[in-house]
Every structure is written in structure tokens, then in C-alpha cells.
Amino acid sequence: MGRMNAIVVLCLALLVPATASRAKAAWYLAETENFRVYADASKRTTKKLAATLEDFDWLLRLMTGLKSDPPPDKFDVYLIKDTKQLRRYTGFGRNVGGYYRATPTGTAAFAQRTRRISGAASKHWDLSSQTILFHEYAHHFMLRHFPHAYPTWYIEGFAEYVSTARFEGDEVTVGDYAVGRAATLLHYKWLPLQQVLKPGGMPSDPEDKAVFYAQSWLLTHYLLRNPERQHQLAQYLRSTPTAPTLERDFKAAFGIPISAMNGDLKAYMRGSGAEQISRIKMILKRPDTAATQVAKLSNSANDVLVIAAKLDNGIEGAFYAEALRDVARAKEKHVGDYLAERTWAHANSLFGERAAGREALQSLAEQRPNDVKPLFYLGLSYLLEARENAGNAAKKAALIERSHRTFAAAFQRDNAHYPTLYFYYKAQSAPISQAERQVLEEAAYLAPQVAQIRYDLADLWARQNDPNLRTKAAQLFAILAADPHGGSVAAMAAARAAPIQAASQGLPHQQAHKRGARTTPLR
């Protein structure tokens, strides 16, 4: 699944078509310790959806031994019945049931809301919305709390392993299987395990990719459910195998060659059987969700909320005209509505009537002094115009200075809004001071899921005359290069990592980030 601007596309058959009329839809926001869940559903259902995601976060913390590490910001999830709204501005076909975007301007997951999302995982051939969300949040959780250059098979295998968790009453079931993955293992030719294990081993052929996911899930399942193998897995992941050392590191960790492990996996499948594969049931010690706040959003949400969210994540130029038409209709329909006005101003300040959009943003910023977004959008508009005027040095400098001042004002409203920090840094002129470097480091801490931000940080570290920072740069490039969805950023990082690592031989190990980042493998 290639990713441009860190986009992960999630495909499934639309098993439960939306039947409710958009005119009758109402949107609610449920806010918990870790999530903001937006859903066009009832108040009760929205709260239940948020509680299920909070339960899943608790499960991941239990499995990884993470005691207490509250996120600096909450994870935004949009659960949408209307499939046209879901696919708007994406170009995706009908088989896309959701996607996750982590970009310098925002991070969110979008998924179709089906009846199965708050119940048991689907037992059909396709993945349910709940399984999709759990899989993608597992990736987000791993990046947030355990940055490490994991092999591709483990990144995807772990996400697959936890994605089928089921929460029923006071119990949680872990280690269930998705029928599609089991069927793939039973009916398709397996890839050589050496190919699955090798760094960057994700195949491009769709059928081989399906087999890769299935084998990665089975290998992870087998290793995590055997106490001895689980300990060996931790040792293997810490060794960070490369292509030349793969066989050696594998045998050193597991005591057997890769070919023998392939036989063990086939025996595991035959011994358990697809219907009887080992599961664990645990008593669910739920986090305190009594403090969950649920609020009904304004009537404009049905027309503009998803548009606003997608603009925050960035849309491609091919959809600019469509977005401008949509925000104009919403503004006309919901006169005086803050969300509709802000979304219209946001779109126009970037690629429409720029002067009018900026004027509106300035007015909205004065109306809502606690909202960081109008000022952030304003600063982004100035910075974008500065880049468009690269040939006019005086105009470019004036626009950059204006964007810099606007981002600084936005920071005063919200010092944990990572897009503001990142673009404040991007508005700087060389050379970069230590204070400005720390701004980028803070943005990367707040948003480790955004590959472009971490790449820029590694690039900045690599250009310093500090051997420890250069070592950290190599490690961060290696993490980015290992991302199976990293696209062009992963390729650039791979090219940068090797020469820095070679030049840094013998230096002590440094953690990937300054504020408590962990490199301990997931258990």
C-alpha cells in the first residue's frame, strides 16, 4: 500500500450500504483521553465507538508494557455512513472503505461506519471497519510510543495480530483471525520465508502482497503465543537484521535456520487448524470512560465537517475546484456558522480567493481567541505564496516574515499543535539556530507518525557538526526507511542512512528522539 503524504488506503467491500438520508443525519463528537471520535450516529453509539477505541488503546498498552505515557494530542477518527463523503477529494473507487493520513498539516483516520464497527470482528471475506481502524491505530501507536526500525513483516504482522481483537462485555479476545488471511494461507502458494523476512520485503504484486500479509500475521501469531519464542523475538528485533546478516541473526535469535522456521509455521497451521487457532480471553479492565464528553455538533457538520477534516490533511490539486464549490455552498447554506465560515476561508486562503479568505480568517481569529486554526491557516497561506514568489526576493522575504509572525501568534494559542511548530520551522531562513532546531524536534515528538517531519529532523541532525546528532540522524533515517508505507520518504531515508552509519561506526547508541522515545520492541 504505497503512501504519498503518508496516506494508507484501506479496501473492503461495502457490505452494509448507507440507508439513512443525509438530511436526517446528526454528527456527534465523543472525546476521551486518547481520541476524538466524530460520527454521524446517535449520541449513545458515538460514545460506544469511542469507548471501544479506548479499550483497544488499553489493550495495546497492556501487551507492550507501556505503563503511562499520555499522548500530547488526541487521535482524530471520522466514522462516516455516506460513502460519497468518505471518498470525496480522494479519487478512490467504491472498494475503499477507509483511509488514514498523517501529513504535516494534520493526522486523521476516516472509515465507513458499519453495524459491525462496535461489535465482533467480521467473519466474512472482507475486513470490517473495526478491524481496519484497529490495524491502522496499531501502526500509529507503534510510531508514537516505540520508534524503532522494525522489519516490515513485524510492522504488518503485529497490526494484523491485534486488529481482530473483540470486546464483549467484560472480556476481550486476542489472537483471533481474519477469515481472508486464513483462506490465503490455505489456498495460495506461500512466499519463501526468506523473502518475507528480508528488509523491505513487501512485494508489489497484489496476490503476493496478500500472501505476505497472511504469512506475516501467522509468524507474529506463532512467535507471540509461545513464551520462549516471544523472548527470542525480542532479541531478534533488537539485532536490526540487514540483508547480509539476516540468516545469521535469525539463527542466533531462534536457534534454527529460516528454512526450519518455515516448517514450524506449517505445522502450527496444521496443528491448530484455521478454526481452532489459539486465542486468549482476558478480563477487560476498562479505562475510566465516565469522563467521556459527548456533544452534538452544529447542523452544518453534515455538510462541512468531513470537508474541513480533509482540508486539514491536505487534498490534491485535482480536487481544488470541487472543494471550492462545496465550501461555497456550505457557507451560503449555513450563514454565520463558524465551522462553515472557517472552512470556506481555509480553502480560499490556500487555492481560491486568497485575499477574501485571509480577511475572513483574521476576523474568525478575533472571534475565537482560543482556536489555533484560523491563525495557522493564515500563516500557511502566506508561506505558500512566498514559495510561489521564489523569483522575487523582496516579496518572498516579506511574506515569509509575515508567516513567521502569524505562526508565532498561533503557537501562543496552542503550543502542542504540531503543524504550527513544523511550519514555523519551515518559515525560517538558514542558518538554523539551536532554538529553531528544538522547534522541529518538538514537532517530531508531537507527530512521530508524520514521515516528512521526521525526515526533515534527521536531515537537520545529519548536517550538524555533532557526532551524536549524526548518529541519531542515521537511526532516524533507518526507522523511516523501514516504514512499509513510507513511499518516497522511505526511499530517500534509505539512501541517507547508509553513509552516515558508515561514518558513525563505534559511536554509542542514541535514542531516536529526545523526549522519552522508546526503542524497546513490542512484546
Side-chain angles (χ1 to χ4, degrees):
M1 291 184 285
R3 179 168 68 184
M4 184 175 183
N5 285 333
I7 183 169
V8 179
V9 179
L10 315 161
C11 298
L12 70 161
L14 302 178
L15 299 173
V16 183
T19 57
S21 167
R22 287 186 63 197
K24 296 180 180 179
W27 279 84
Y28 283 87
L29 164 62
E31 195 160 356
T32 67
E33 182 180 7
N34 295 288
F35 299 92
R36 282 184 295 261
V37 177
Y38 301 84
D40 54 344
S42 68
K43 181 177 181 178
R44 178 181 179 185
T45 298
T46 304
K47 185 172 183 178
K48 185 176 182 181
L49 295 168
T52 300
L53 286 170
E54 201 64 55
D55 287 343
F56 185 61
D57 180 81
W58 166 85
L59 175 64
L60 293 179
R61 289 170 183 270
L62 179 70
M63 292 179 65
T64 60
L66 184 64
K67 300 300 182 184
S68 177
D69 192 3
D73 195 11
K74 298 180 182 183
F75 185 66
D76 289 327
V77 179
Y78 294 83
L79 303 174
I80 308 164
K81 283 191 293 187
D82 187 333
T83 57
K84 289 183 179 179
Q85 277 193 309
L86 178 68
R87 300 194 305 269
R88 183 178 290 171
Y89 316 138
T90 64
F92 299 149
R94 291 180 175 272
N95 65 325
V96 172
Y99 60 98
Y100 166 79
R101 286 181 67 100
T103 75
T105 55
T107 298
F110 302 84
Q112 184 193 7
R113 186 174 71 79
T114 72
R115 292 189 183 97
R116 280 178 296 283
I117 199 165
S118 58
S122 171
K123 287 298 181 186
H124 299 277
W125 287 97
D126 297 286
L127 303 175
S128 72
S129 295
Q130 177 174 287
T131 302
I132 286 170
L133 278 175
F134 284 179
H135 179 106
E136 294 310 321
Y137 185 68
H139 286 325
H140 183 86
F141 182 93
M142 182 183 284
L143 287 168
R144 166 74 271 163
H145 302 290
F146 297 90
H148 184 70
Y150 297 105
T152 303
W153 68 266
Y154 184 69
I155 292 172
E156 296 301 342
F158 181 82
E160 287 287 292
Y161 176 77
V162 297
S163 71
T164 58
R166 298 201 311 273
F167 299 91
E168 301 172 272
D170 291 329
E171 288 186 335
V172 55
T173 301
V174 185
D176 207 347
Y177 64 95
V179 172
R181 300 302 187 208
T184 297
L185 292 170
L186 290 170
H187 300 296
Y188 286 79
K189 182 180 179 180
W190 287 24
L191 298 172
L193 192 57
Q194 182 94 13
Q195 182 179 343
V196 175
L197 292 171
K198 73 177 183 180
M202 177 80 77
S204 56
D205 178 78
E207 185 174 301
D208 286 348
K209 186 179 291 187
V211 176
F212 176 88
Y213 271 85
Q215 286 182 250
S216 297
W217 163 75
L218 181 65
L219 178 58
T220 304
H221 197 291
Y222 169 66
L223 296 175
L224 290 181
R225 301 308 280 273
N226 182 311
E228 182 181 0
R229 292 295 193 206
Q230 185 181 123
H231 177 75
Q232 294 169 339
L233 171 63
Q235 176 186 341
Y236 177 72
L237 294 176
R238 281 193 290 269
S239 69
T240 315
T242 62
T245 67
L246 180 61
E247 186 72 52
R248 182 198 69 194
D249 290 343
F250 188 92
K251 189 171 184 179
F254 296 107
I256 57 174
I258 293 173
S259 57
M261 179 64 78
N262 194 62
D264 287 353
L265 287 178
K266 289 186 178 291
Y268 186 62
M269 275 288 291
R270 289 193 301 269
S272 300
E275 289 294 334
Q276 301 298 323
I277 200 160
S278 172
R279 307 175 182 90
I280 295 175
K281 277 198 173 183
M282 298 181 290
I283 299 298
L284 176 60
K285 297 179 180 178
R286 277 191 173 89
D288 181 13
T289 56
T292 301
Q293 301 295 315
V294 184
K296 185 177 181 180
L297 302 180
S298 70
N299 292 334
S300 68
N302 193 55
D303 295 302
V304 78
L305 179 67
V306 176
I307 300 174
K310 292 186 178 184
L311 285 171
D312 276 341
N313 285 157
I315 62 172
E316 301 297 328
F319 303 104
Y320 285 175
E322 181 184 355
L324 289 171
R325 287 194 300 268
D326 288 343
V327 297
R329 291 191 194 104
K331 181 174 181 282
E332 183 178 351
K333 181 178 178 180
H334 303 281
V335 177
D337 180 88
Y338 182 77
L339 179 60
E341 296 276 354
R342 192 186 71 183
T343 307
W344 178 90
H346 181 196
N348 278 276
S349 72
L350 294 179
F351 46 79
E353 300 174 24
R354 216 171 239 166
R358 288 172 180 169
E359 183 179 359
L361 287 173
Q362 191 64 58
S363 175
L364 293 168
E366 294 167 3
Q367 290 178 35
R368 298 285 180 93
N370 293 324
D371 186 2
V372 68
K373 289 189 174 181
L375 288 178
F376 170 68
Y377 300 153
L378 196 56
L380 198 59
S381 177
Y382 292 135
L383 185 59
L384 178 62
E385 188 179 359
R387 292 173 177 175
E388 292 169 353
N389 284 273
N392 186 332
K395 187 174 183 180
K396 178 183 176 182
L399 285 164
I400 286 179
E401 174 59 26
R402 198 164 186 181
S403 71
H404 181 271
R405 292 198 309 268
T406 308
F407 289 135
F411 175 79
Q412 296 303 314
R413 295 189 173 192
D414 185 351
N415 62 11
H417 186 242
Y418 81 78
T420 295
L421 288 166
Y422 176 66
F423 285 100
Y424 177 91
Y425 166 79
K426 296 296 283 185
Q428 305 302 311
S429 300
I432 301 299
S433 69
Q434 182 177 351
E436 290 158 352
R437 190 189 82 206
Q438 289 173 344
V439 168
L440 182 59
E441 289 175 342
E442 183 70 6
Y445 167 74
L446 292 168
Q449 74 277 7
V450 181
Q452 186 61 58
I453 296 178
R454 290 186 299 158
Y455 180 89
D456 284 357
L457 177 60
D459 176 68
L460 179 60
W461 281 344
R463 290 186 280 110
Q464 305 304 303
N465 292 322
D466 182 333
N468 287 326
L469 287 179
R470 290 176 60 82
T471 301
K472 290 170 70 174
Q475 291 164 352
L476 189 45
F477 279 136
I479 292 171
L480 291 165
D483 183 355
H485 305 301
S488 59
V489 173
M492 291 189 300
R496 296 290 301 280
I500 299 175
Q501 286 173 325
S504 303
Q505 290 288 330
L507 290 172
H509 174 78
Q510 298 289 326
Q511 285 193 325
H513 199 272
K514 66 185 180 75
R515 285 183 56 177
R518 295 169 176 77
T519 52
T520 304
L522 293 170
R523 295 203 295 253

